Amino acid sequence: MENQRFPLPPFTMETALQKVQAAEDAWNTKDPEKVSLAYTIDTEWRNRTDFINGREEVKQFLKRKWEKELDYKLKKELWGFKENRMAVRFEYEWHDAAGQWYRSYGNELWEFDENGYMQKRFASINDLAIAETDRKLF
């Protein structure tokens, strides 16, 4: 059995905000191993049109993501929560190997198990090409 990953559900406003900030901080490390530890071994994801099952697939997905999305910087915002579920909006900026910058906008639905690990993550994301001078996230 894995340890508990605080804060645990059911969430309060304070603990939901803590969970979102922890996720933002972890994703900004761009460390697939570290990020993957927030998810259950058998986690289920939909990320855009990718369907990802299990922590090992999450690690591989994130490795590919950050090899493509260079100088990635993310900001998350709690949109709502109830018991063990959250809705989060986010935006992040990155550039490709050719130097084109993008701002990606999206929404996520999260579901946590009783030990505070995310067991489901569903993300819808859109990309907007931007000029480097239009960046907001540093």
Side-chain angles (χ1 to χ4, degrees):
M1 182 175 153
E2 293 189 79
N3 295 326
Q4 292 182 316
R5 192 165 185 95
F6 292 94
L8 304 177
F11 298 110
T12 64
M13 177 60 84
E14 179 182 3
T15 60
L17 289 168
Q18 289 171 359
K19 204 67 149 175
V20 171
Q21 187 62 57
E24 178 183 310
D25 293 345
W27 279 66
N28 278 322
T29 69
K30 299 175 285 295
D31 180 341
E33 182 68 36
K34 179 178 182 170
V35 172
S36 72
L37 294 176
Y39 302 92
T40 60
I41 295 291
D42 61 349
T43 191
E44 296 175 33
W45 282 25
R46 182 188 50 74
N47 193 88
R48 300 177 191 255
T49 59
D50 292 320
F51 292 84
I52 302 154
N53 293 291
R55 191 182 286 167
E56 286 303 314
E57 285 187 21
V58 165
K59 280 191 257 187
Q60 293 308 310
F61 169 81
L62 293 173
K63 183 176 184 299
R64 290 187 309 273
K65 172 185 180 62
W66 290 317
E67 286 172 352
K68 174 188 172 198
E69 296 178 358
L70 306 174
D71 293 319
Y72 174 97
K73 180 66 176 169
L74 168 72
K75 182 66 184 150
K76 290 185 180 280
E77 177 188 6
L78 178 65
W79 196 254
F81 70 95
K82 184 177 180 184
E83 298 170 3
N84 70 328
R85 292 181 169 177
M86 289 187 203
V88 176
R89 70 157 294 285
F90 62 89
E91 60 186 73
Y92 61 91
E93 293 175 345
W94 57 282
H95 68 84
D96 62 20
Q100 173 62 59
W101 280 91
Y102 296 89
R103 185 173 304 116
S104 300
Y105 297 96
N107 302 301
E108 295 175 300
L109 300 175
W110 297 348
E111 181 180 88
F112 294 87
D113 73 3
E114 66 279 359
N115 291 311
Y117 290 85
M118 195 181 301
Q119 59 193 9
K120 293 185 181 179
R121 174 186 174 268
F122 304 110
S124 298
I125 307 167
N126 298 300
D127 301 318
L128 174 67
I130 61 172
E132 185 174 4
T133 56
D134 291 334
R135 291 181 59 210
K136 301 190 306 188
L137 305 175
F138 297 93

